[in-house]
């Protein structure tokens, strides 16, 4: 009998790609005089991206689950139950003869119901039907065909085969492989999103107005002009430190060595 492969699929794995910042809309803080903003505030908030990954794993079945049972009919309940018990005993003896242990045989259902004959719209009690069903685990899938034949030979017309399913006795290793594949799939889907959501590099921080002074050397042409202005002012008897406010002497002498940006 063929052994179909058993697929196990991880339904979904949710991956949270943390640390993908998004930049909120910038808001200017109204401050200072002259209607000018003194600072630009940019609010950054933490965000998450939810990605769904799918994975599957396939393995060779190592067991077969057989659904089998018996049905018997009798004129009375007692007769139906006796016939059913006889057929059940024959089924169990045949199953054990195929090397199936008692721990792998489980009773699934026992039933007893009346049987009616419906003729011309009237019902007549004909007898009773007793049934019993079993779940049988075959640990050698290749031996499943021989077991089915043994059950039908032992039970005759009372025997029933309801299902045969090839499966894994322990699904956990296969499920772990499926989850790992789904995790890798989610990571692969999240990579482009994570790359596109990287924040831009921060601009260099400039000193705030009125708090720091940046001093830079004075270009040579400005130093020459300042020197000529100083000599002409000294020859005219002017005051180097104050001036009269009309010739620009105060500003010229203030930047002799350094330009002060405030």
């Amino acid at each position: 009998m063929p052994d179909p492969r058993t697929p196990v699929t991880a339904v979904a794995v949710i991956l949270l790609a943390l640390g993908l910042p998004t930049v909120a809309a910038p808001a200017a803080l109204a401050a200072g005089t002259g209607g000018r903003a003194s600072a630009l505030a940019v609010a950054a908030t933490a965000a998450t991206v939810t990605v769904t990954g799918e994975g599957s794993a396939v393995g060779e079945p190592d067991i077969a689950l057989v659904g089998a049972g018996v049905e018997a009919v009798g004129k009375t309940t007692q007769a139906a139950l006796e016939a059913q018990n006889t057929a059940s005993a024959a089924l169990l003896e045949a199953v054990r003869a195929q090397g199936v242990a008692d721990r792998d045989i489980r009773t699934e259902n026992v039933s007893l119901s009346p049987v009616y004959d419906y003729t011309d719209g009237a019902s007549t009690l004909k007898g009773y039907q007793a049934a019993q069903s079993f779940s049988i685990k075959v640990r050698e899938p290749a031996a499943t065909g021989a077991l089915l034949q043994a059950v039908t030979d032992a039970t005759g017309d009372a025997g029933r085969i309801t299902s045969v399913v090839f499966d894994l006795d322990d699904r956990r290793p296969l499920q772990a492989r499926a989850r790992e594949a789904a995790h890798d799939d989610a990571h692969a889907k999240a990579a482009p999103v994570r790359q596109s959501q990287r924040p831009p590099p921060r601009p260099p921080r400039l000193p705030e107005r009125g708090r720091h002074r940046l001093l830079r050397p004075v270009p040579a042409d400005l130093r020459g002009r300042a020197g000529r202005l100083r000599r002409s002012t000294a020859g005219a008897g002017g005051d180097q430190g104050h001036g009269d406010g009309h010739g620009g002497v105060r500003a010229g002498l203030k930047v002799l060595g350094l330009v002060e940006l405030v």
Side-chain angles (χ1 to χ4, degrees):
M1 176 168 291
D3 297 339
R5 307 185 76 186
T6 301
V8 175
T9 303
V11 176
V13 170
I14 305 299
L15 175 66
L16 295 181
L18 301 178
L20 305 181
T22 57
V23 179
L29 300 180
T33 59
R36 294 177 299 177
S38 63
L40 184 65
V42 178
T45 58
T48 59
V49 174
T50 303
V51 180
T52 301
E54 295 182 358
S56 62
V58 178
E60 294 291 337
D62 54 6
I63 61 170
L65 299 175
V66 177
V70 295
E71 292 180 359
V73 178
K75 291 291 185 178
T76 64
T77 58
Q78 184 67 26
L81 288 173
E82 287 179 356
Q84 176 258 308
N85 288 334
T86 301
S88 295
L91 183 149
L92 294 176
E93 183 180 357
V95 168
R96 294 187 180 105
Q98 295 297 315
V100 179
D102 287 345
R103 63 186 177 94
D104 293 329
I105 304 172
R106 183 176 63 194
T107 298
E108 295 289 346
N109 184 51
V110 175
S111 65
L112 177 64
S113 57
V115 178
Y116 291 94
D117 182 18
Y118 296 91
T119 304
D120 297 331
S123 61
T124 304
L125 180 63
K126 292 182 58 177
Y128 296 87
Q129 183 184 66
Q132 185 173 5
S133 60
F134 301 91
S135 175
I136 305 166
K137 180 185 292 186
V138 183
R139 296 187 178 274
E140 293 292 338
T144 304
L147 183 136
L148 297 178
Q149 186 64 52
V151 168
T152 56
D153 291 343
T155 57
D157 293 340
R160 303 288 186 271
I161 303 296
T162 57
S163 65
V164 177
V165 177
F166 294 95
D167 204 346
L168 296 169
D169 192 28
D170 186 1
R171 284 172 162 251
R172 290 174 296 180
L174 205 61
Q175 289 171 341
R177 286 165 49 192
R179 283 193 295 268
E180 183 178 355
H183 192 270
D184 294 342
D185 181 54
H187 262 293
K189 292 178 180 178
V193 179
R194 186 167 56 245
Q195 185 69 23
S196 64
Q197 292 295 323
R198 285 186 177 178
R202 292 186 177 182
R205 185 175 180 180
L206 299 177
E208 298 181 9
R209 183 178 179 84
R211 294 184 57 187
H212 305 282
R213 292 183 299 178
L214 182 62
L215 302 180
R216 298 178 180 174
V218 178
D221 57 342
L222 292 182
R223 288 201 301 270
R225 295 179 187 176
R228 290 192 296 273
L229 179 61
R230 181 179 59 185
R231 287 192 297 272
S232 63
T233 304
D239 188 350
Q240 295 181 5
H242 300 284
D244 56 5
H246 297 286
V249 176
R250 183 190 302 270
L253 295 181
K254 191 172 182 179
V255 294
L256 282 179
L258 296 171
V259 173
E260 183 176 15
L261 304 178
V262 182

